[in-house]
Amino acid sequence: MTDDIAALIADARSRIEAAADGAALEALRVEWLGKKGRITELMKTLGAIPADERKARGAALNVAKDEVAGLLAARGAVLAESELDARLARERIDVTLPPRPLPDGRVHPISQTIDELTAIFGEMGFSVAEGPDIEDDWYNFTALNIPAEHPSRQMMDTFYLRSAGEAGAPPKVLRTHTSPVQIRTMMSVKPPIRVIIPGRTYRSDHDATHSPNFHQVEGLVIDKAIHMGHLKGCLQEFCRAYFEVADLPLRFRPSHFPFTEPSAEVDIGCSRAGGELKLGNHGDWLEILGCGMVHPKVIANCGLDPEEWQGFAFGMGIERITMLKYGIPDLRTFYEADLRWLRHYGFMPLDVPSMTGGLAR
Ligand code: PHE
């Protein structure tokens, strides 16, 4: 190999080995092996030199060309690897970094209370049943033994829908309570039955403690030989668990509902000393729910034999027990969709209430 070609290769080697990245390397490839590259240009001069020298010089140039191509490929591989290493270092995930703060959303106190009710009654073997908000007159009133003159049937108390449906049929109503789902459940599920029924209810009422749309939870137990002792025990368990007051006293006051006999209203112990409401054994009383033994006529209306099946039912306002437990003073704020209110009274989405993990955190 002639000296000039050896020098050429040495030059190429030092420049290629110093190339810092892929772009610099590509520029070198063009400079040496491109159409006007230094080796290409030397090849073009072969025709002008004497025939006896031409063969050896041609072979030497080919060797130089291969050598430079090899140097380019080797440097390319080194650069590719170090670029990959740099990327791996740059994109590494630091699992010890603290997580980003959770989003600002909260679980609404009504949803939280429904979750708490489900956890407490679930522990007692109840499942959750649901029914439609737009209800037939028969389910909402007639099957529940509610007489024609009952105030809840009046236009001023109930939202009736204008379209009557079938000709001659009474208009549909926005259910005034969750009790119609008692009927739907007894007509579709074979006893024994143990359900709670949370849901939206509607009455034509609007002030600081009444909203035209509110929520109730109903309870229904149907079995053989069920008596008021079961009702009392069940509600006592529930109230003490929900309000988280272990010795919370309960008082059953005789009352009247068309669909239960006997009927009672339940008060829980409280104190109103100093204008501040405190739950517990303090001598004062606060009404929280209605209940009773399911009326035999209601059981019969559902196609069951009241001689064979008995049970109890109860119903209460979800807003009311939520306001009591969490100290929310005005019912209307539940529906104002004010984010500041929700951040104050709302609950963290992943803190699902449970009897073992805690009801409210
Ligand atoms: N449905 C009744 C109401 O809305 C409550 C209730 C339910 C009473 C079940 C007794 C039994 O006032």
Side-chain angles (χ1 to χ4, degrees):
M1 192 179 292
T2 52
D3 286 350
D4 68 325
I5 293 180
L8 205 65
I9 292 174
D11 187 19
R13 181 188 305 277
S14 68
R15 303 238 347 247
I16 287 170
E17 283 175 357
D21 53 33
L25 201 62
E26 173 60 12
L28 286 171
R29 190 193 63 76
V30 172
E31 182 182 335
W32 292 84
L33 304 179
K35 273 189 193 144
K36 293 184 175 158
R38 291 170 67 175
I39 293 181
T40 320
E41 291 296 333
L42 286 175
M43 296 275 201
K44 289 180 190 163
T45 63
L46 281 175
I49 61 177
D52 56 341
E53 287 172 35
R54 193 184 301 154
K55 199 174 166 200
R57 185 156 176 89
L61 280 175
N62 269 329
V63 168
K65 191 178 150 192
D66 288 348
E67 180 117 17
V68 171
L71 288 168
L72 286 167
R75 183 65 188 158
V78 168
L79 285 176
E81 189 159 328
S82 67
E83 268 165 31
L84 181 63
D85 285 347
R87 217 179 110 199
L88 285 174
R90 197 167 59 236
E91 296 180 0
R92 192 177 51 201
I93 295 167
D94 183 353
V95 293
T96 65
L97 277 176
R100 284 182 209 97
L102 283 170
D104 279 347
R106 293 284 191 282
V107 172
H108 194 281
I110 295 290
S111 305
Q112 171 78 11
T113 295
I114 291 174
D115 287 349
E116 292 180 29
L117 293 164
T118 305
I120 296 168
F121 283 107
E123 194 89 340
M124 292 192 236
F126 285 71
S127 50
V128 173
E130 286 178 304
D133 291 14
I134 298 173
E135 195 48 286
D136 286 348
D137 178 277
W138 190 79
Y139 287 108
N140 196 79
F141 297 125
T142 311
L144 286 162
N145 198 34
I146 295 177
E149 69 280 7
H150 195 275
S152 66
R153 284 198 179 245
Q154 306 301 301
M155 288 282 279
M156 51 185 265
D157 286 315
T158 300
F159 296 109
Y160 288 93
L161 274 75
R162 205 167 280 141
S163 76
E166 287 165 45
K172 296 216 177 218
V173 298
L174 293 182
R175 65 180 179 188
T176 57
H177 49 179
T178 41
S179 302
V181 191
Q182 284 189 33
I183 306 299
R184 291 181 174 274
T185 306
M186 281 189 272
M187 293 182 70
S188 62
V189 177
K190 229 174 126 265
I193 292 168
R194 250 191 256 188
V195 289
I196 57 163
I197 302 146
R200 279 185 291 270
T201 45
Y202 306 83
R203 288 183 202 175
S204 188
D205 254 345
H206 204 190
D207 59 40
T209 53
H210 296 89
S211 153
N213 165 211
F214 60 108
H215 297 74
Q216 283 192 336
V217 61
E218 193 88 6
L220 175 70
V221 170
I222 298 289
D223 206 333
K224 295 184 175 170
I226 293 286
H227 53 71
M228 274 201 94
H230 296 117
L231 168 61
K232 281 189 86 167
C234 175
L235 288 177
Q236 177 165 307
E237 267 309 289
F238 160 70
C239 287
R240 290 179 175 178
Y242 175 75
F243 291 109
E244 297 177 291
V245 179
D247 63 346
L248 186 66
L250 265 69
R251 183 172 76 172
F252 285 70
R253 260 185 305 106
S255 183
H256 170 77
F257 299 101
F259 35 90
T260 48
E261 180 58 34
S263 304
E265 260 156 309
V266 173
D267 303 335
I268 53 176
C270 73
S271 147
R272 293 180 172 89
E276 200 197 316
L277 187 75
K278 227 169 78 196
L279 299 181
N281 192 4
H282 307 297
D284 205 352
W285 297 100
L286 178 73
E287 183 198 314
I288 59 152
L289 65 89
C291 63
M293 303 305 293
V294 180
H295 198 297
K297 277 194 188 165
V298 173
I299 293 181
N301 285 343
C302 298
L304 297 172
D305 178 2
E307 295 296 327
E308 186 183 3
W309 301 105
Q310 303 88 47
F312 63 79
F314 56 86
M316 66 190 119
I318 292 182
E319 282 80 353
R320 180 158 171 75
I321 62 171
T322 306
M323 289 167 80
L324 284 172
K325 182 166 177 177
Y326 296 110
I328 300 172
D330 188 333
L331 175 98
R332 289 170 290 204
T333 57
F334 280 106
Y335 315 109
E336 280 170 357
D338 183 336
L339 268 180
R340 291 162 305 173
W341 181 90
L342 192 60
R343 277 181 203 130
H344 182 79
Y345 287 111
F347 296 85
M348 295 308 278
L350 296 178
D351 281 348
V352 179
S354 76
M355 290 299 280
T356 46
L359 287 176
R361 282 170 280 178

